[in-house]
Amino acid sequence: MTVAPNWARSIPDALPRFMAPSGGVVSIDAPDYDLGEPWLCGFRLRLDRPYVGTNPSLQERALQIARSGNCKGIIERVIKGRIVEEASGQGGRFLVARSDLTGSTIVVWQGRWHEVFDFIEDPEVTSLDALRRFDRLSFQDSPVGLRVRTSPVPAETMFAERVYKTVPGVGNLSILPAEQAVDLVPRHRGAQVASGEVWRKEVVSDQGTRTLLLHATTTTVTIVDPEANNPDETPRLQFLDRLSGVAWTRP
């Protein structure tokens, strides 16, 4: 008899879901909407106590996760580069690709289902220094997501996890654990929907002012951006009205 791993036993089979690098599982329930692949994720790592001689680029690092093979398109079409280093390790393979045009570098660990990667804009970075972005990290790949573990010495904290999901016909979801998004949520009560509360919020940036829809549950805050800058809020509002639930379950 085959026994399912712990993460599989704890996830409702009926819900589209994604395992974040900390091991938490994001699940969405929205009838009649396409909530399958792909899922994306960003996160950061910070040394709790930097030690003497630590490379400054390793004191805090930002990494991203996508489906395996995603970086092939980035290498070919975004940085217009080529793979300059490749090695096997941790049940997958490490890749370093460099752009001859801009000097941009992308470093990747690629597993069977997912890959974790980082962009480095320093044109002088060596392949060895690029691969050091994965120092003290181990990767546990699975169909539902990529678990990232850090070495206990020196201790590192994982933070700023954010899961991204595009819903065709609606827009782009950015899902955060509730405790990381306290400052995003207005103090006044939002509009009540079956799955939580919703607010309309204007955000000012260098690109101008844009209007976001925020959705909050007890475990998540979700930012709902329009599809292709579509100013019509109707598709997003209809989605939020039909949304049955969003959850971020801790490991």
Side-chain angles (χ1 to χ4, degrees):
M1 182 178 68
T2 301
V3 178
N6 289 334
W7 58 259
R9 289 199 295 264
S10 64
I11 301 169
D13 290 339
L15 299 182
R17 69 270 189 193
F18 178 83
M19 182 173 65
S22 64
V25 175
V26 176
S27 58
I28 307 176
D29 186 8
D32 303 323
Y33 284 93
D34 178 4
L35 299 172
E37 295 294 347
W39 295 76
L40 304 172
C41 183
F43 66 103
R44 302 182 76 91
L45 295 164
R46 179 176 55 226
L47 280 177
D48 293 345
R49 185 178 298 175
Y51 54 91
V52 176
T54 302
N55 186 321
S57 69
L58 299 181
Q59 293 184 14
E60 183 171 316
R61 40 190 164 167
L63 302 173
Q64 300 177 63
I65 293 173
R67 289 294 291 179
S68 188
N70 177 76
C71 285
K72 181 177 186 293
I74 295 175
I75 294 168
E76 294 176 352
R77 296 189 294 274
V78 178
I79 71 170
K80 295 179 171 58
R82 56 190 174 86
I83 296 173
V84 296
E85 296 286 346
E86 183 172 355
S88 298
Q90 296 197 38
R93 59 177 185 156
F94 294 95
L95 306 173
V96 178
R98 195 182 305 274
S99 170
D100 294 328
L101 298 176
T102 65
S104 297
T105 297
I106 183 171
V107 58
V108 187
W109 178 84
Q110 189 174 78
R112 178 179 177 184
W113 295 282
H114 296 89
E115 58 192 22
V116 56
F117 60 98
D118 188 25
F119 290 98
I120 303 171
E121 297 301 332
D122 180 1
E124 303 298 322
V125 71
T126 66
S127 295
L128 181 58
D129 284 337
L131 287 167
R132 284 182 176 141
R133 300 293 287 173
F134 297 145
D135 276 2
R136 307 184 308 278
L137 302 183
S138 61
F139 309 118
Q140 180 184 349
D141 197 14
S142 72
V144 79
L146 179 68
R147 182 73 184 269
V148 179
R149 299 184 185 276
T150 62
S151 171
V153 181
E156 277 187 289
T157 296
M158 182 181 295
F159 67 106
E161 287 183 288
R162 183 177 293 208
V163 170
Y164 302 94
K165 180 76 192 80
T166 295
V167 181
V170 175
N172 304 302
L173 311 183
S174 301
I175 307 169
L176 298 80
E179 65 271 19
Q180 290 185 20
V182 173
D183 293 339
L184 282 177
V185 178
R187 295 185 179 275
H188 60 273
R189 292 187 64 84
Q192 297 294 310
V193 293
S195 53
E197 292 182 72
V198 174
W199 295 263
R200 182 182 288 107
K201 185 173 183 178
E202 288 192 346
V203 177
V204 180
S205 68
D206 294 338
Q207 289 73 42
T209 301
R210 63 191 182 114
T211 301
L212 304 176
L213 294 179
L214 294 180
H215 175 273
T217 71
T218 57
T219 61
T220 64
V221 171
T222 301
I223 303 168
V224 188
D225 277 314
E227 186 175 50
N229 297 316
N230 181 4
D232 183 6
E233 290 185 343
T234 304
R236 290 180 287 160
L237 292 172
Q238 289 176 339
F239 171 77
L240 291 171
D241 187 55
R242 291 182 58 81
L243 183 66
S244 299
V246 185
W248 192 307
T249 305
R250 288 301 183 184

